[in-house]
Amino acid sequence: MRLITTKPLEEIKKYAQKHDKNPDSLDYEIVSYSTDIVFSKDKSKHYEGDEVSEFLDDALFLQDFKIVQNYEINIVNKTQSLVDFKIAANSSLTKIVANFKAFCFDYDLLDDVALKYIQNAINKKFINSGLYLGLRQKKTNAILMQMIKDFKDEKIEEKNIILALGVDAIDSNDPELKLYYKEKKENQENIDYSKRGFVSAVNGGDLIIEFVKSIEAKDGKNLKCESIKAKRSNLKNEPDFKISENISQMENDKSIKYYANANGYVYFSNNTYDIKDSIDIEKITFKTTGSIEAGVNKDVTLNVFEADYLKDAIGPNLSIEASIVNVKGCVAQHSTINAQDVTIGAQTHSKSKIFAKKISINSHRGYCKGDEIFIERLENGVVEGKIVRINQCLGGKVIANKVYVQTLTTNTMFEISDLAVITNCIGENNKFLITANSSPIIAKSLTQNAEKLKENNDLLKNLPKLIQSKLAIINSNKESIIQIKQRIAQMQESNTPIPAAFFNKLKEFQNISQEYNDLKEQFNDANEKKKYILDEFAILQDKVFDARVINLNTWANLNEIRFKLTQPKIELSYNTSKDEKIYCIKLEKDPSIDDEEKSIKIVKIENNQGSEDDSLY
């Protein structure tokens, strides 16, 4: 029975009731279908069959319209299914997927017949589910035909195919403010609770903030042509803060990005972001600020005003980092300062550390390392620098290329590579060690050369044994090799085949001889290298012969001046006496003495008469 209807399943029920049949024994075949779409009172359109596929265009599909589909069908008796499959939809009914399994497929069907059967079955599942034919269905003929072939060739066992797609709604999200200048600290795996981001240092050009705009909400439509309302944000889609002239912004449709125009740190006050280069603070403590990491190369100056000697301007267990650090007061134990330039107006604790190119400290008890260092009073602290100036030495250790001391009391140890100048020596038990190792660059070169020399000496120690073992093999086989060569010559004259063993023996002997010659050459090269390394040592250590210890007044009793050479290992020392007038103490080598160790001696110059010595400081 053929008829036109909008609801095929209801027609089957009517037909079954009229003809006294079980509805479950009936089915229908789709002959054709048409679609009527009404956009408004004045606008409608009629489509035959696949003409309605123009609604695959999202803009057209999202328009407000009413739809009616009419199906021309034949009601027939139900037969056994030749291809069984399932269709499923997502929760919003914007996606329909068919799942096919190879074992649910009749392999005896011809490909074209199978394709037609599957297409008809898909269309019926759509109609029975209240979905519209052709409206948003994808072109699947080629995919289905390939699936049929793959099933028959046993290439696949299962296949999922997207049959139709609606339009998903796009929800609007809330705008988001990303503070990139803080993210680096917040993402650290090992949390240091002293580092709480009191300052956030940045470089000029850094992306520091981004205001991510909310996405515009867009309504969707499912495959039953029902509208899907998108969620919309109630927040303003623009930033509610201001920026100073030190920050620039770049805006596009998605976000507004803010960049630092100069080095410094990000400062937020009165709802305005700014880049500043100076931090003024009363004191730094674990409780109030935590550690401050403004960056050594960020052009940030840190000023700490607490000046009371009985209080800590920088509290214990803190890390301070800035380009310039000015502290009027004291630095507590286990605190570290890293900067380009550091000034400490009071004193440093014995367990504090300071690292900077330029350092000035009033009273130093801790450790500091830099290029140019000034200490008003050294009180058992450690100083390591290139040029060090100290007004009062009350004990401690100084490692430097050059050191200038105004007043030297007792128990101070100096390690210098170039020069030590003492204006007033009023104490005993001070020690001066003059060694090239006190210069970091020379010390590094000396260490590298010492390692090379040890490696080379080990080679020179082992090579003679190897050379002798190869020579012993050569000597023990020399006669037999001569005999083999003679036998080969005789056999060549008589055209007699020569055994391969003869050639193998000659080849083996040639290899041993080559190894022997290579080892001898390696031994000679090692000897040459040793001479070169020793010459390098001599050049580096000549620095010690240029070094001077100068006292502009008289010496106190029992101050030791020691000169140390590494290659050869020589140490020469001199102990001063009370009121001794020695202006300069240095090391000299007497070229007239062949024995190198005996040719080296300490020279004492009693008064400042030489222009050469004047030029040293």
Side-chain angles (χ1 to χ4, degrees):
M1 177 181 174
R2 178 174 294 194
L3 55 91
I4 296 176
T5 180
T6 58
K7 298 178 180 179
L9 290 180
E10 289 188 8
E11 294 298 334
I12 286 179
K13 289 179 182 178
K14 292 178 182 177
Y15 181 86
Q17 187 175 11
K18 182 178 180 181
H19 295 87
D20 194 22
K21 288 191 173 187
N22 184 354
D24 294 337
S25 67
L26 299 175
D27 198 359
Y28 66 94
E29 294 175 346
I30 302 168
V31 178
S32 65
Y33 69 94
S34 64
T35 308
D36 291 291
I37 292 182
V38 178
F39 294 98
S40 65
K41 292 182 179 179
D42 304 328
K43 186 179 178 182
S44 63
K45 193 170 182 179
H46 178 78
Y47 299 88
E48 289 293 334
D50 291 343
E51 291 176 355
V52 78
S53 63
E54 71 175 60
F55 279 83
L56 286 169
D57 176 35
D58 288 350
L60 183 58
F61 179 64
L62 288 171
Q63 290 185 24
D64 188 20
F65 59 80
K66 294 180 179 180
I67 181 172
V68 176
Q69 278 194 339
N70 290 286
Y71 310 102
E72 184 180 0
I73 63 171
N74 273 331
I75 297 177
V76 297
N77 291 323
K78 184 178 288 187
T79 58
Q80 184 177 355
S81 176
L82 301 176
V83 179
D84 191 19
F85 62 94
K86 295 179 180 179
I87 64 170
N90 61 359
S91 59
S92 58
L93 202 62
T94 56
K95 184 178 183 180
I96 305 295
V97 178
N99 175 256
F100 297 88
K101 288 184 169 58
F103 64 83
C104 297
F105 180 78
D106 188 342
Y107 287 78
D108 294 330
L109 287 174
L110 294 174
D111 292 354
D112 291 341
V113 175
L115 177 62
K116 187 176 181 181
Y117 184 89
I118 292 172
Q119 289 172 329
N120 190 61
I122 289 173
N123 288 341
K124 285 194 292 182
K125 286 181 182 288
F126 263 58
I127 294 169
N128 296 343
S129 300
L131 305 174
Y132 298 101
L133 298 186
L135 190 71
R136 298 285 293 182
Q137 279 181 280
K138 297 174 70 68
K139 304 297 182 183
T140 56
N141 287 359
I143 299 173
L144 289 168
M145 183 60 78
Q146 186 62 49
M147 179 193 73
I148 292 167
K149 294 180 183 297
D150 289 343
F151 278 166
K152 289 184 176 182
D153 294 340
E154 297 184 353
K155 290 182 179 179
I156 59 173
E157 295 182 354
E158 187 175 1
K159 181 76 173 179
N160 289 323
I161 298 175
I162 298 173
L163 301 178
L165 290 171
V167 176
D168 287 308
I170 299 175
D171 294 333
S172 174
N173 62 319
D174 289 339
E176 180 183 5
L177 185 64
K178 294 184 177 181
L179 303 177
Y180 294 118
Y181 68 91
K182 286 186 175 182
E183 284 185 359
K184 197 176 282 188
K185 296 180 183 296
E186 292 171 354
N187 290 337
Q188 289 177 345
E189 290 183 6
N190 299 319
I191 298 174
D192 183 346
Y193 290 100
S194 72
K195 300 177 181 179
R196 300 194 295 279
F198 181 75
V199 225
S200 299
V202 295
N203 289 320
D206 282 355
L207 173 61
I208 56 173
I209 303 169
E210 182 179 14
F211 179 84
V212 181
K213 299 176 182 179
S214 61
I215 299 171
E216 182 184 356
K218 293 182 180 179
D219 293 337
K221 185 177 280 190
N222 67 22
L223 292 167
K224 287 188 175 182
C225 294
E226 297 167 339
S227 179
I228 303 173
K229 293 296 181 182
K231 295 178 182 177
R232 285 165 169 77
S233 173
N234 295 321
L235 300 178
K236 288 174 62 179
N237 203 20
E238 58 185 33
D240 59 356
F241 58 84
K242 300 176 183 178
I243 58 172
S244 74
E245 67 277 3
N246 296 318
I247 299 174
S248 57
Q249 71 178 54
M250 292 181 65
E251 184 173 1
N252 57 33
D253 293 339
K254 294 182 179 179
S255 69
I256 306 173
K257 293 182 178 179
Y258 299 88
Y259 296 87
N261 290 339
N263 292 354
Y265 69 96
V266 180
Y267 179 77
F268 184 69
S269 179
N270 297 325
N271 204 39
T272 302
Y273 284 97
D274 194 5
I275 304 296
K276 290 196 171 185
D277 60 6
S278 180
I279 306 167
D280 297 334
I281 191 169
E282 184 63 26
K283 59 183 176 180
I284 299 172
T285 67
F286 183 92
K287 184 178 180 180
T288 58
T289 64
S291 293
I292 294 179
E293 294 183 335
V296 174
N297 299 311
K298 308 287 187 180
D299 299 334
V300 175
T301 298
L302 174 62
N303 300 309
V304 186
F305 297 120
E306 176 61 72
D308 191 335
Y309 256 81
L310 300 177
K311 298 178 181 179
D312 292 327
I314 296 178
N317 304 299
L318 296 173
S319 173
I320 307 302
E321 192 176 281
S323 296
I324 300 174
V325 177
N326 298 314
V327 182
K328 286 190 175 181
C330 303
V331 179
Q333 69 270 25
H334 301 299
S335 282
T336 302
I337 300 175
N338 281 278
Q340 299 279 355
D341 191 329
V342 174
T343 300
I344 307 297
Q347 68 182 17
T348 60
H349 192 276
S350 61
K351 293 184 179 179
S352 66
K353 294 180 180 179
I354 297 174
F355 302 90
K357 288 184 177 180
K358 190 175 180 181
I359 300 172
S360 176
I361 302 173
N362 184 46
S363 179
H364 184 52
R365 297 178 178 179
Y367 172 85
C368 70
K369 183 176 182 179
D371 291 347
E372 296 182 29
I373 301 174
F374 171 77
I375 308 289
E376 176 64 33
R377 190 167 61 256
L378 180 63
E379 301 182 53
N380 295 310
V382 179
V383 182
E384 188 173 347
K386 292 180 180 178
I387 299 176
V388 177
R389 301 179 187 275
I390 305 171
N391 273 352
Q392 296 181 64
C393 267
L394 307 178
K397 183 175 182 179
V398 179
I399 304 169
N401 292 9
K402 296 181 180 181
V403 60
Y404 301 86
V405 179
Q406 189 67 26
T407 301
L408 176 61
T409 59
T410 59
N411 298 318
T412 303
M413 182 175 180
F414 298 90
E415 288 185 18
I416 65 168
S417 62
D418 295 357
L419 176 68
V421 178
I422 312 300
T423 302
N424 294 297
C425 179
I426 61 174
E428 302 175 352
N429 200 34
N430 297 294
K431 298 182 185 298
F432 295 82
L433 175 62
I434 297 88
T435 170
N437 286 328
S438 297
S439 169
I441 297 174
I442 296 176
K444 184 177 180 180
S445 299
L446 286 171
T447 302
Q448 290 174 345
N449 278 339
E451 292 171 355
K452 291 177 184 177
L453 185 63
K454 182 181 182 306
E455 184 181 335
N456 199 71
N457 284 341
D458 290 341
L459 191 62
L460 287 171
K461 181 180 179 181
N462 296 326
L463 278 176
K465 296 177 183 178
L466 290 172
I467 292 170
Q468 283 302 120
S469 66
K470 299 295 181 185
L471 182 60
I473 295 171
I474 291 170
N475 290 334
S476 63
N477 286 278
K478 191 177 291 183
E479 289 298 326
S480 62
I481 292 299
I482 293 172
Q483 291 176 7
I484 289 173
K485 288 181 177 180
Q486 291 173 350
R487 289 287 306 279
I488 289 174
Q490 292 169 1
M491 296 176 83
Q492 285 175 336
E493 287 179 4
S494 60
N495 292 324
T496 304
I498 302 170
F502 283 7
F503 291 111
N504 291 338
K505 191 70 175 176
L506 286 176
K507 181 79 172 174
E508 185 180 339
F509 186 78
Q510 288 171 353
N511 290 338
I512 294 291
S513 299
Q514 185 62 49
E515 290 173 6
Y516 170 74
N517 291 327
D518 290 345
L519 288 170
K520 280 180 64 179
E521 185 177 349
Q522 193 175 353
F523 182 76
N524 293 332
D525 290 344
N527 273 317
E528 289 297 320
K529 187 175 181 180
K530 181 178 180 179
K531 292 177 184 177
Y532 174 79
I533 294 172
L534 291 174
D535 288 343
E536 285 287 305
F537 262 119
I539 293 170
L540 292 170
Q541 288 199 144
D542 278 349
K543 188 84 172 173
V544 177
F545 291 95
D546 295 330
R548 305 284 189 272
V549 176
I550 293 174
N551 187 350
L552 300 180
N553 289 288
T554 58
W555 285 97
N557 199 28
L558 297 176
N559 290 289
E560 181 186 59
I561 294 92
R562 182 184 297 273
F563 294 87
K564 182 178 179 181
L565 299 174
T566 307
Q567 198 62 233
K569 290 185 177 180
I570 299 174
E571 287 192 23
L572 297 175
S573 63
Y574 177 77
N575 286 286
T576 63
S577 300
K578 184 179 180 182
D579 297 328
E580 191 172 18
K581 294 184 178 180
I582 299 175
Y583 165 72
C584 176
I585 300 173
K586 62 179 182 176
L587 204 62
E588 282 189 359
K589 186 185 291 186
D590 189 343
S592 65
I593 300 175
D594 294 333
D595 189 318
E596 186 174 15
E597 292 191 20
K598 293 181 180 179
S599 69
I600 299 171
K601 61 180 180 180
I602 291 177
V603 175
K604 302 180 288 295
I605 300 173
E606 292 187 357
N607 49 47
N608 180 13
Q609 296 175 348
S611 58
E612 179 184 355
D613 290 331
D614 289 343
S615 66
L616 285 173
Y617 68 98

